[in-house]
Amino acid sequence: KPVVETKVLATNELTRKSTERSEYKYVLLPDSTQVWLNAASHLDFPQQFRNDKRVVVLSGEAYFDVKHADKIPFIIQTGKVSTTVLGTAFNIKAYPGRKDVIVSVSRGKVKVNFDEQEVATLTKGQRVKVSHTDMKQVEKKPALNEPSSWQQGHLAYDDETIEDIIADLERVYDVRINITNQLVYLMRISTTFEREKGVEQALQVLCKLTETALKQADGQYTIQ
């Protein structure tokens, strides 16, 4: 279960809440917005929000339940991609190294921008993938999984590359996973794992789906 983070890092009047690999935390923001921070992530926010907008900066993944405030938008910045809401619940996945940002909505409505240009408006049950580098690479579709599923211990993937899934598993379980066949990295699959069942079972499923074999040695896993 996530725990409430008590240590803070003040930088330029911003507070940083962060998680290590295989760690999850609950954060309550100054406006009573609730945030669940996934593994290997950090969130920067002011000690007091401005009267015209509420801005936070996310690296990694977090589920937000935003406190409604008329005419005071809540904005999450993830590189060039920003997500704006008034009051709603949604998930953002924007880990460094990923080729895209994924925004998925549980309720309400959110607006997703790239370099201040709107690329998508999402309502309940929708998600969008936006490239970090090119707003033309936008994929909007129904969300197959509940956006907050990782909070309940479900690791759900919808048409994700093996490379991104492996990176997730390394963060969640704090392990090292190698793939000897580079072509496997680019394969895309849809699947769900139960976090409590462990990394080895998840990797066995990946191996079946990609017709590869799993080996473990010296504390590392290798898919070949």
Side-chain angles (χ1 to χ4, degrees):
K1 294 182 178 180
V3 297
V4 177
E5 166 69 334
T6 55
K7 296 180 181 179
V8 298
L9 172 64
T11 306
N12 297 329
E13 299 183 357
L14 291 180
T15 296
R16 171 167 292 186
K17 298 294 180 75
S18 59
T19 53
E20 303 296 333
R21 285 156 65 108
S22 76
E23 185 179 25
Y24 312 89
K25 288 177 181 173
Y26 168 80
V27 181
L28 186 64
L29 298 185
D31 65 338
S32 296
T33 287
Q34 299 181 84
V35 184
W36 290 263
L37 203 57
N38 208 343
S41 304
H42 64 254
L43 182 72
D44 295 332
F45 57 92
Q47 295 182 11
Q48 184 171 353
F49 287 120
R50 291 166 44 173
N51 292 328
D52 59 337
K53 60 183 177 181
R54 299 167 286 171
V55 181
V56 302
V57 180
L58 171 68
S59 175
E61 182 171 15
Y63 182 79
F64 293 83
D65 193 337
V66 176
K67 182 74 172 180
H68 183 83
D70 287 330
K71 300 180 181 178
I72 310 178
F74 190 97
I75 304 169
I76 302 95
Q77 296 178 340
T78 49
K80 291 186 177 182
V81 179
S82 62
T83 304
T84 303
V85 303
L86 287 175
T88 184
F90 58 97
N91 194 81
I92 298 181
K93 191 169 195 172
Y95 280 107
R98 282 188 62 94
K99 297 179 179 63
D100 49 49
V101 174
I102 301 178
V103 182
S104 309
V105 177
S106 292
R107 69 169 192 273
K109 179 186 293 186
V110 308
K111 179 177 68 176
V112 181
N113 286 7
F114 181 92
D115 255 355
E116 300 184 357
Q117 297 184 56
E118 183 173 342
V119 295
T121 297
L122 306 176
T123 55
K124 179 180 178 180
Q126 293 183 322
R127 73 160 213 182
V128 68
K129 267 187 190 179
V130 183
S131 169
H132 279 292
T133 57
D134 186 353
M135 68 173 292
K136 294 180 181 178
Q137 298 180 35
V138 177
E139 179 190 357
K140 180 178 175 182
K141 60 190 291 189
L144 294 184
N145 307 294
E146 167 59 37
S148 62
S149 61
W150 64 264
Q151 292 175 260
Q152 284 80 48
H154 309 300
L155 308 178
Y157 304 96
D158 177 15
D159 192 32
E160 293 287 312
T161 65
I162 297 296
E163 179 179 15
D164 285 338
I165 295 174
I166 289 297
D168 256 8
L169 294 178
E170 288 185 323
R171 284 186 289 262
V172 168
Y173 295 106
D174 194 14
V175 296
R176 177 70 179 171
I177 304 167
N178 302 304
I179 297 182
T180 57
N181 185 345
Q182 295 301 308
L183 293 178
V184 174
Y185 269 113
L186 304 178
M187 296 177 65
R188 309 184 75 91
I189 64 170
S190 298
T191 189
T192 302
F193 307 120
E194 299 301 319
R195 188 171 65 225
E196 65 180 13
K197 292 185 178 179
V199 65
E200 189 164 335
Q201 179 161 324
L203 291 176
Q204 292 286 5
V205 172
L206 282 184
C207 286
K208 288 181 180 179
L209 293 173
T210 58
E211 297 182 346
T212 53
L214 178 66
K215 287 191 176 182
Q216 182 182 9
D218 302 323
Q220 295 189 18
Y221 294 92
T222 299
I223 294 176
Q224 58 186 27

